[in-house]
Amino acid sequence: MAGVELGTREWHEILDAAHNGILAVNRESRVIVFNRAAAELVGCVQTEAFGRRLEEIIPNTRLAEVMESGKPEYGQPLPLRERVIVTNRSPIWRAHKIIGAVAVFQDITDIEALSQELETVRRAHADLDAVIESVDDGIVVANAHGYIVRANQAYLRIAGIARDEFVGKHFSELFKQGYLNRSVSQMVLERRARVNVVDVRNGKELLMTGTPVFDEKGELSRVVTAVRDISELSELKARLAESEEKSERYYNELEHLRSRQSFRQILTKNQEMLAKVEMAFHVAKVDSTVLILGESGVGKELVAGLIHRAGSRSKNPFITINCGAIPLNLLESELFGYEKGAFTGAQKEGKPGLFELAQGGTLFLDEVGELPLELQVKVLRALQDREITRLGGSKPIRLDVRFVAATNRDLEEMVREKTFREDLFYRLNVVPILIPPLRRRKEDIPLLVNEFLRRFNTRYGLQKWITPEVMGVFMLYDWPGNIRELENTVERLMVTGREDAIGRESMEDVFSPGGLKMAEAGGLSSFQKVGHGELPEFPGQSGGTFSLPQYLKEEERRLISEAYAVAGSTRKAAALLKISQSSLVKKMQKYRVRV
């Protein structure tokens, strides 16, 4: 049989009939084959492509590279007119010489979309499987014909059966085999409505809720049954009922007291204060009574909280009693509690006092110097004998409590004036810890200011900072109200100022009329009285001499570094700092702030 040779026309017809695009070039990268499918993919008139250089039609086919390397490339993605294209590229050989290259294009856009849809469905099924298997309740799914199509591991565990004994079986078969007493799924199929049933299986009391699932035509297609083991609920409810009234009352009162505590970190670089903190950690390991002394606002309650958290009682209550904040006529009943009918208006079931609520934990007697003399003897007995008696009661209550007290008053002077019992003072003063005032801890001011800025920026959704000028004034001010005054001042400046940068002009109404001038002009000399004529060390001090310019430079560098870290670019950081970008770049180079 003689061979049949095809002419050029026949070859073009064959190529145009191909579904995939086909393109070939000669050694000069000029198009010699360009079928109809390729023209449609490229968006080019077929007759205009022949003879043109390949890069004029498709710039990224890599056919030139294939001719140079002589190596074919298969399954390569080719971005083309927002379509998903896969191409195979091969060199054309003649007598061991490459004379061109050919590429076959396959449009898989629809296939890719379908693949993504299938992947989405697969992931949804996987997520559904994970959810069903993660719950503690048993889940059973039956189809409209009464066959079990799914049961999660929790149900198999509750029912005490294997999966192959249950899944795939019909209701009637399971009933005959004794796996079911009554079928919730069958009841739902019959009623076409939700059904709740309590049943006993495998020695367990089960609550079963069957829910019908309808398809888009309104036909019932599935029944989903949730199974919960409630066999222990009756016993638990009985136990709960026995103590519910008492537990709820104690819990609410204790939570109220706990909610008033705010344990915060003690921020300090001052050596004297660090020694006090170390002492607090040391005595926290024992139950000795601690008396914390210091001016108002120095953070005595933070030291008390530290002692509680660092001790063995940290998981038990920390109860604070402000001895100067409770009215005198209520103080005794609040401290020691009362029995029912102890006085007019008392709760009929009585009430535990704060001493009782602190059982197992720590009792913090804040402002203990405000205790009236008539109550000091009862507090002394609690400290000495570790027991109290409720108002109207006669039965002593043993205490397992660690005592910590605090005051800003001179208790020794009060003892001499007969306004504070001497025996109570000695009972409290087992381990005294004197907290230094802020004017002797000046190096802690930047730490505290930065913490207050972070806290209030987070609370109020702000992005404010203190300028070096204001920080310099803070370092010179006397702070008679100590840390509490500093915190209140920072908050006031942040919430009243209109600009993100808190500058000198924001401080006019913050201090007393002469306070600001004193801080800026004469504050330094007033501090020399502290510490026998020597200033405490703090940032900006060099060789024992305070250097405001040096401190301002360090503060400026810190603000620039923080602004760049927050903003991520010099342009945005400059906008935050209200300076030009060129100025910021120069300052960053000056201070060697890393970009």
Side-chain angles (χ1 to χ4, degrees):
M1 182 175 178
V4 178
E5 291 192 10
L6 300 177
T8 302
R9 179 178 178 181
E10 285 82 0
W11 277 114
H12 279 293
E13 289 174 348
I14 291 172
L15 293 173
D16 283 342
H19 176 72
N20 292 336
I22 302 174
L23 181 151
V25 296
N26 61 18
R27 188 60 182 173
E28 289 74 33
S29 293
R30 294 190 178 276
V31 177
I32 58 176
V33 174
F34 194 68
N35 73 342
R36 184 179 294 112
E40 291 176 355
L41 288 173
V42 175
C44 174
V45 177
Q46 187 178 9
T47 56
E48 295 178 356
F50 293 103
R52 293 176 63 183
R53 293 192 63 82
L54 177 61
E55 59 267 21
E56 298 176 10
I57 302 172
I58 308 176
N60 53 348
T61 62
R62 286 186 51 82
L63 285 180
E65 287 82 352
V66 170
M67 285 191 290
E68 289 298 323
S69 66
K71 296 180 180 179
E73 297 178 353
Y74 300 114
Q76 299 300 311
L78 177 67
L80 197 61
R81 299 179 65 200
E82 299 182 356
R83 306 292 290 177
V84 181
I85 306 298
V86 174
T87 178
N88 297 327
R89 308 155 186 152
S90 302
I92 302 174
W93 296 85
R94 179 186 292 169
H96 307 292
K97 182 179 179 181
I98 295 175
I99 62 171
V102 60
V104 179
F105 306 97
Q106 184 175 4
D107 185 354
I108 63 168
T109 303
D110 295 338
I111 297 175
E112 183 70 15
L114 180 59
S115 175
Q116 291 180 359
E117 291 180 8
L118 291 174
E119 178 63 17
T120 301
V121 172
R122 187 192 67 78
R123 289 180 179 176
H125 277 294
D127 291 343
L128 180 60
D129 287 343
V131 170
I132 290 175
E133 291 299 334
S134 67
V135 296
D136 292 331
D137 290 350
I139 296 178
V140 178
V141 181
N143 65 18
H145 303 291
Y147 286 91
I148 306 296
V149 297
R150 173 105 191 226
N152 71 347
Q153 191 61 41
Y155 177 80
L156 300 176
R157 183 180 66 254
I158 292 171
I161 58 176
R163 191 179 302 276
D164 57 0
E165 295 177 299
F166 191 72
V167 177
K169 303 292 181 66
H170 193 270
F171 301 150
S172 57
E173 183 180 359
L174 293 170
F175 182 78
K176 291 178 182 178
Q177 293 176 354
Y179 289 118
L180 300 178
N181 293 337
R182 67 175 102 175
S183 173
V184 175
S185 300
Q186 188 171 6
M187 295 169 66
V188 172
L189 286 174
E190 294 171 354
R191 303 178 187 180
R192 297 174 61 85
R194 185 170 181 169
V195 174
N196 291 301
V197 171
V198 175
D199 198 2
V200 177
R201 297 183 189 175
N202 201 29
K204 299 177 181 178
E205 188 176 5
L206 305 178
L207 172 62
M208 299 180 290
T209 301
T211 304
V213 178
F214 299 94
D215 60 21
E216 62 275 7
K217 297 180 180 179
E219 298 293 332
L220 195 153
S221 61
R222 291 284 190 274
V223 176
V224 179
T225 302
V227 182
R228 174 168 295 183
D229 184 356
I230 60 171
S231 54
E232 296 181 2
L233 282 181
S234 298
E235 182 182 355
L236 292 175
K237 287 172 67 176
R239 292 180 181 177
L240 182 62
E242 292 176 2
S243 59
E244 184 176 14
E245 183 178 353
K246 182 178 180 180
S247 296
E248 183 177 359
R249 185 177 75 250
Y250 276 71
Y251 177 81
N252 290 337
E253 293 182 15
L254 186 55
E255 285 301 304
H256 173 70
L257 292 165
R258 281 176 170 171
S259 68
R260 295 163 57 187
Q261 308 305 325
S262 180
F263 293 130
R264 296 176 181 170
Q265 182 181 6
I266 296 177
L267 300 174
T268 184
K269 295 195 296 186
N270 175 266
Q271 291 302 313
E272 182 182 1
M273 187 62 190
L274 287 172
K276 304 300 183 182
V277 172
E278 184 180 357
M279 173 62 73
F281 271 113
H282 182 70
V283 300
K285 307 304 179 183
V286 295
D287 273 349
S288 299
T289 301
V290 178
L291 178 61
I292 305 171
L293 305 167
E295 297 177 8
S296 178
V298 295
K300 297 186 291 294
E301 67 283 358
L302 297 185
V303 177
L306 182 151
I307 292 171
H308 172 71
R309 297 195 312 276
S312 60
R313 299 174 179 266
S314 59
K315 295 183 179 180
N316 295 323
F318 178 81
I319 302 299
T320 296
I321 300 173
N322 189 320
C323 301
I326 303 175
L328 181 60
N329 60 330
L330 298 178
L331 189 56
E332 184 173 4
S333 62
E334 287 296 315
L335 295 185
F336 305 110
Y338 54 83
E339 298 291 353
K340 59 182 179 180
F343 53 87
T344 303
Q347 296 181 16
K348 62 180 181 180
E349 68 277 9
K351 180 182 177 181
L354 297 174
F355 276 67
E356 283 183 70
L357 292 177
Q359 287 282 30
T362 302
L363 185 68
F364 177 40
L365 296 169
D366 198 10
E367 304 299 343
V368 71
E370 307 301 324
L371 269 176
L373 273 171
E374 55 267 32
L375 277 183
Q376 290 179 22
V377 64
K378 284 200 169 187
V379 174
L380 174 63
R381 181 190 174 195
L383 282 164
Q384 184 171 289
D385 301 335
R386 301 288 167 166
E387 66 178 27
I388 60 169
T389 303
R390 287 184 180 184
L391 280 177
S394 57
K395 181 180 178 182
I397 299 172
R398 296 294 300 171
L399 291 180
D400 175 21
V401 174
R402 199 267 173 78
F403 289 94
V404 178
T407 183
N408 60 357
R409 302 186 64 177
D410 186 345
L411 294 186
E412 292 185 83
E413 179 64 25
M414 293 180 67
V415 169
R416 286 191 291 270
E417 295 174 352
K418 306 298 184 182
T419 56
F420 199 86
R421 293 181 61 98
E422 184 177 18
D423 48 5
L424 177 57
F425 169 71
Y426 288 121
R427 278 290 176 184
L428 293 172
N429 196 38
V430 177
V431 181
I433 298 179
L434 177 61
I435 307 301
L438 187 56
R439 61 180 174 273
R440 285 166 47 190
R441 308 166 42 188
K442 302 305 291 294
E443 64 268 48
D444 289 345
I445 290 178
L447 289 175
L448 295 166
V449 169
N450 288 333
E451 169 60 18
F452 298 149
L453 285 170
R454 183 199 64 76
R455 187 184 307 161
F456 294 128
N457 275 331
T458 300
R459 181 184 302 174
Y460 301 128
L462 303 174
Q463 290 185 335
K464 298 197 174 186
W465 66 88
I466 297 289
T467 63
E469 181 183 21
V470 172
M471 187 67 80
V473 175
F474 280 179
M475 297 296 291
L476 295 175
Y477 183 60
D478 198 19
W479 300 112
N482 293 294
I483 298 172
R484 186 178 296 119
E485 182 184 5
L486 175 62
E487 180 178 9
N488 293 341
T489 299
V490 172
E491 182 176 12
R492 189 183 317 147
L493 287 170
M494 293 179 69
V495 300
T496 59
R498 296 179 180 272
E499 301 295 332
D500 285 346
I502 300 173
R504 166 65 176 76
E505 65 280 359
S506 303
M507 304 181 65
E508 297 292 343
D509 300 325
V510 171
F511 296 115
S512 59
L516 184 56
K517 292 182 179 179
M518 181 278 292
E520 293 178 321
L524 194 61
S525 62
S526 70
F527 292 141
Q528 292 174 345
K529 299 176 183 178
V530 181
H532 306 289
E534 295 183 359
L535 285 170
E537 293 182 2
F538 60 94
Q541 191 167 356
S542 175
T545 303
F546 175 71
S547 171
L548 181 58
Q550 179 62 30
Y551 173 76
L552 296 180
K553 287 180 182 179
E554 293 177 3
E555 191 64 14
E556 185 177 37
R557 182 191 183 284
R558 182 187 65 79
L559 289 173
I560 289 172
S561 178
E562 291 183 359
Y564 181 78
V566 170
S569 70
T570 56
R571 180 181 62 81
K572 292 180 180 179
L576 284 175
L577 296 172
K578 302 294 190 297
I579 61 176
S580 66
Q581 186 178 14
S582 60
S583 296
L584 176 64
V585 172
K586 291 178 182 178
K587 290 179 182 291
M588 292 177 71
Q589 293 172 346
K590 173 183 176 182
Y591 294 124
R592 298 182 180 179
V593 176
R594 293 185 179 180
V595 178

